[in-house]
Amino acid sequence: MISRLNLYQRYLIRETFASVFLVLAAFLALFAFFNFIDELRTVGKAGYSVVHAALFVALSMPGLVYELIPIATLIGTLYALSTLARHSEITVLRASGLATSDLLMTLFRAALLLALLTFLIGEAVVPFSERLGKEIRAKALSTVIAQSGFDSGLWVKDGRSFINIRKAAPDAPLEGVRIYHFSQQNLLESVTDAQRADFEDPDLWRLSGVVKTVLEGDSSRVESAQAGEWRSTVTPTLLAALMVSPERMSLLGLLNYTRHLTENKQKTERYEIALWKKVVYPLAALVMVALALPFGYSHNRVGGVSLKIFAGVMLGILFYALNGLSSNLGAINSWSPVVSATAPSAIFLLIATGMLWWVERR
């Protein structure tokens, strides 16, 4: 595809890619350094060493790439266009009859490749690397998969049952399982305690050291057994998904977990927003190149390259903050997941459209 482009198109795409990946590398180095410094505070606890910290930071890098590509696209494209404008190359192209729409379409070609890269990293690399990094950290620190904000361990709802798991280490049996089962009238029917639970496909847990308390009206009885069975839609895959934040999960993982929450009548807003963001977020690269284009038309008397780069950094930070704010407010206020996920990109697209209109009017 690149070989069939005009000379100026290949040149512009090459310069844009070079600037974007340079900015991305600088951001990654900076964020990785601070993340490693932060992890050093944990080194020495249990079996957590410097090697574990370095592995954890390295495995978190794909997630950083996924988050930073749109911002790097904005700053990199802005830098490339500003440099071309400073050398009067943009002026020559426009004087040769190149329309703004043609220039924008060329930048969109580069942005589409960056959007595809963002999507592939988010789907194929990030969920695996994030989970592996969390597993390495959890094993080294001998901690549970997820605490869900409670000191009592992990809590999961499955149909009419609430399950409390004291310890759910990666790739290991569950320990300290307590199952609260409720009737259709929301009355507690039984409490089952098990020292250990081993999973067997597709939905069976083998319990060991079982003590079951059955409530019958005003009376109760206790049943003890060396072994027992527990059939549940809660699987190791589902529990492992809790190690990864919704924004780092794959589309398939989000669909499956959202379906599980829906079947158990639990709130799904956060995961639905994350699902729509997985679809929309890669396309932010197209919005960013459109936002950067007007800066390429301004001359040095309006502002130097350094001032434009500063403006790009500020816009990138604003987009990053607005993206997180929109998701959190959407989950808190039960806004439409589509609106919450698309609002930041839509706002920036309107700004870009307004700036391009202003440039064409000049």
Side-chain angles (χ1 to χ4, degrees):
M1 181 183 73
I2 297 295
S3 61
R4 293 199 298 268
L5 299 177
N6 294 330
L7 180 61
Y8 85 88
Q9 292 175 321
R10 294 199 299 270
Y11 175 67
L12 187 59
I13 290 174
R14 184 173 67 249
E15 290 296 310
T16 301
F17 277 155
S19 298
V20 168
F21 287 116
L22 179 63
V23 172
L24 183 60
F27 271 134
L28 288 177
L30 183 64
F31 277 85
F33 174 74
F34 284 117
N35 287 347
F36 184 70
I37 294 299
D38 187 57
E39 283 300 307
L40 287 179
R41 294 184 296 180
T42 312
V43 171
K45 296 180 180 179
Y48 200 67
S49 65
V50 175
V51 176
H52 291 122
L55 278 173
F56 178 74
V57 171
L59 289 168
S60 67
M61 295 288 277
L64 287 174
V65 172
Y66 178 79
E67 283 191 351
L68 293 173
I69 283 181
I71 301 171
T73 299
L74 170 62
I75 299 173
T77 306
L78 195 152
Y79 176 77
L81 292 175
S82 298
T83 302
L84 294 175
R86 186 180 60 181
H87 296 156
S88 300
E89 291 172 277
I90 295 292
T91 303
V92 171
L93 288 173
R94 296 192 72 189
S96 301
L98 182 67
T100 300
S101 58
D102 295 330
L103 187 56
L104 185 60
M105 287 300 106
T106 301
L107 293 175
F108 276 166
R109 286 187 172 94
L112 279 173
L113 293 175
L114 292 169
L116 179 61
L117 177 63
T118 305
F119 181 79
L120 291 176
I121 291 175
E123 284 299 297
V125 183
V126 173
F128 172 77
S129 65
E130 286 285 321
R131 183 177 302 173
L132 183 59
K134 293 289 181 63
E135 287 180 0
I136 290 173
R137 197 175 193 276
K139 286 180 179 179
L141 292 171
S142 300
T143 55
V144 299
I145 282 180
Q147 290 284 341
S148 298
F150 298 101
D151 293 334
S152 56
L154 176 67
W155 288 87
V156 185
K157 185 176 184 290
D158 178 29
R160 308 299 304 177
S161 299
F162 289 86
I163 301 98
N164 174 227
I165 304 168
R166 295 292 300 178
K167 186 176 182 181
D171 300 323
L174 306 181
E175 296 181 15
V177 179
R178 176 170 290 180
I179 306 167
Y180 298 87
H181 185 70
F182 289 81
S183 66
Q184 294 291 337
Q185 292 74 35
N186 294 324
L187 299 176
L188 182 62
E189 288 187 336
S190 65
V191 179
T192 303
D193 288 280
Q195 297 176 359
R196 174 187 170 113
D198 295 89
F199 184 73
E200 292 184 7
D201 285 328
D203 61 355
L204 178 63
W205 291 90
R206 299 283 183 184
L207 305 180
S208 304
V210 182
V211 177
K212 183 176 182 179
T213 303
V214 181
L215 304 177
E216 298 173 333
D218 296 331
S219 62
S220 64
R221 72 174 189 274
V222 178
E223 302 173 353
S224 299
Q226 290 295 321
E229 294 184 353
W230 167 41
R231 293 192 178 274
S232 172
T233 58
V234 177
T235 64
T237 302
L238 182 66
L239 294 175
L242 298 177
M243 298 182 67
V244 182
S245 64
E247 292 74 20
R248 295 288 198 268
M249 294 170 67
S250 66
L251 278 172
L252 182 60
L254 283 168
L255 285 170
N256 289 335
Y257 194 65
T258 302
R259 188 181 302 115
H260 171 80
L261 293 177
T262 302
E263 290 172 354
N264 287 280
K265 297 180 174 58
Q266 294 179 273
K267 289 187 176 181
T268 61
E269 285 85 356
R270 185 186 177 192
Y271 292 89
E272 288 180 358
I273 291 172
L275 192 151
W276 279 103
K277 282 183 67 176
K278 293 287 289 186
V279 176
V280 174
Y281 191 73
L283 300 177
L286 281 78
V287 178
M288 294 303 160
V289 297
L291 189 63
L293 180 56
F295 289 91
Y297 284 174
S298 60
H299 301 288
N300 286 335
R301 68 176 184 269
V302 178
V305 175
S306 58
L307 182 60
K308 296 173 187 176
I309 296 302
F310 177 76
V313 171
M314 292 298 101
L315 285 172
I317 292 174
L318 178 61
F319 176 77
Y320 184 84
L322 190 62
N323 206 41
L325 181 64
S326 176
S327 298
N328 292 331
L329 289 177
I332 293 172
N333 297 303
S334 299
W335 292 347
S336 167
V338 180
V339 173
S340 301
T342 59
S345 296
I347 291 172
F348 272 68
L349 181 60
L350 288 174
I351 295 173
T353 303
M355 292 176 66
L356 286 170
W357 176 83
W358 178 75
V359 165
E360 286 294 287
R361 292 270 297 179
R362 292 177 61 193

